[in-house]
Amino acid sequence: MRREVHRVVKVEEVKQEAKDVFTLYFKDNFCSSASPGQFIMVWIPGVDEIPMSLSTINQKGVSSITVRSVGEATRILCETKVGEKIGVRGPFGNGFTLKGSKPVLVGGGTGVPALYPLASKMLISGIKPSFILGARNAEQLLFKDRLQEILDDLIISTDDGSLGFKGYASECLGRLILEKKCDSIYTCGPEQMIVSIFKEAERRNIFVQASLERYVKCAVGLCGSCGIGPFRVCKDGPVFDSISLRAVMNELGFKKMDPSGRLIPVEK
Amino acid sequence: MSQLSLAVELAGLGLRNPTMNAAGVLGMSSYQLKRLYESGAGAVVTKSLGRQPRNGHPNPTIVFVEGGVINSMGLPNPSAEYFRDEIKRLKAENIPVVASFFAASIEDFTYLASILTDAGADALEINCSCPNVGREKCMLEADRESLEKVTKAVREASSLPVFVKLTPNVANIVEGAKIAEENGADGITAVNTLKALAVDIDLRKPILSNIIGGLSGPALKPVALRCVWELFENIEIPIIGCGGVSYWRDAVEFLLCGASAIQIGTALMDHGVELFKEVNEGIRRYLEENGFRGVKDIVGLAHET
């Protein structure tokens, strides 16, 4: 069987992360061999099929997705009970590439869980990353305990200052780069955050890998629905490096394809 | 020694080689189409464009099966009006553009044909064979009368070469092709996808939200070859072969059966956009090794007795 084929998996465990955020654990061989940063398509029969980053990869055969309830499909996923079934296909996309010896990972909101498998992989490879964990407020911080458990250098940043650094994760990053002399940046989170981080990195000449999000239909690079510039988020991404990011700066943070293929404004 | 040229003449269009993308594959923006051209396609085909922007069907819109994929995208497209600027961008770089389009009425077919012509497209491809939308959205070519009217209307509205893309979901594909030919079509694209379905045994439900979709990929190839063969025996206008081309050998098979050009779709999933270059190099090698002077020499060659 190919990883592109639909499988139905049983939800083994559900963990509430925040008021409207849940992690669904399941077993799947293809997901077990995924690279950090890759995503799967999750099928909610009769409703939709949506792209989700893997938030756990093969911890004793178990993988997971972490979902915020923002629409019908995600609401139903968040209400899933242990023993219920969901459809998956994938993993798809390129994932992160390990580069640099002093990396910093910057996660914002629901972008944080996608960086957790990356941090784990770095540790296994003998790299000790710094990690900026960002959210609007302390209640919205995701994976704080899990990250604290494995990392020596976890910096918390909240927009309202309810915990840790007060301000945007991108501002926090500026300080950290100076202190730690970081040589590479990995990021996942809201698009405006990624834009700020990329600009900061460009000023300081540091290499970035950012995981981007677009509306995905086929997930295998055929239909073009997830286009950004000449690239397909599903196949050329979802992780884009500085060179590719420079090529899409006229769209990143400004415009995105809607399901019909028209470019519409990105949320500010 | 200079390299053998793969240039072809297709209904008056001069192309550097006989390959294109199939409509619906990476044709959502000029950026994507430009990338296909830079990867070696002889011409590029737009997403099928309609009068209004369309989101298509809800996901899942694609499912993987033995020998290919079934899709029911449901004709998502930003509208022909929106795409005019995209076509202009491609033409500014001299990229040959085939504008694929569909409509729900003769009036709309006429309108779309004229605006796509004005935008600078090099040829029009009428999609009257999408299996994924109901009759109200799209005129199916199984209906002889609509096919006649649509072809005639587009012919009158545009001076460009007009290709009619046919469905394999009919008992006799020659019938529709003859109607298109008699009403002024300059070429036939054969074929669109084959109606298909996939069901999940755990959830006991069809996987596609639209239930039925269209099969493409290697499983479609023998059906498409049969269609091209039958068309070549019965019509005079050129045929563009489409259905399961994954390697250069497949492309040569289509040419031998009577296609003057070929379109590639599903195989880009596994082989990437680099496939255009590989297919073209393979065709060139085949022609050279067998002493042919050009692509034209082998079009329909398998029919000779």
Side-chain angles (χ1 to χ4, degrees), chain B residues 214-230:
Chain B
L215 176 69
S216 61
L220 180 59
K221 193 186 78 173
V223 176
L225 285 173
R226 183 266 299 169
C227 291
V228 168
W229 180 277
E230 289 179 345

Side-chain angles (χ1 to χ4, degrees), chain B residues 49-101:
Chain B
L49 301 162
R51 180 121 196 201
Q52 306 293 338
R54 264 176 75 90
N55 289 348
H57 295 309
N59 285 345
T61 45
I62 195 162
V63 52
F64 293 77
V65 294
E66 201 78 34
V69 308
I70 308 173
N71 90 81
S72 64
M73 291 294 158
L75 295 172
N77 80 94
S79 84
E81 196 110 18
Y82 180 96
F83 218 76
R84 276 196 290 199
D85 289 342
E86 302 291 309
I87 292 173
K88 284 177 188 158
R89 258 175 235 139
L90 292 165
K91 288 319 298 173
E93 309 207 29
N94 285 317
I95 297 172
V97 179
V98 178
S100 170
F101 68 112

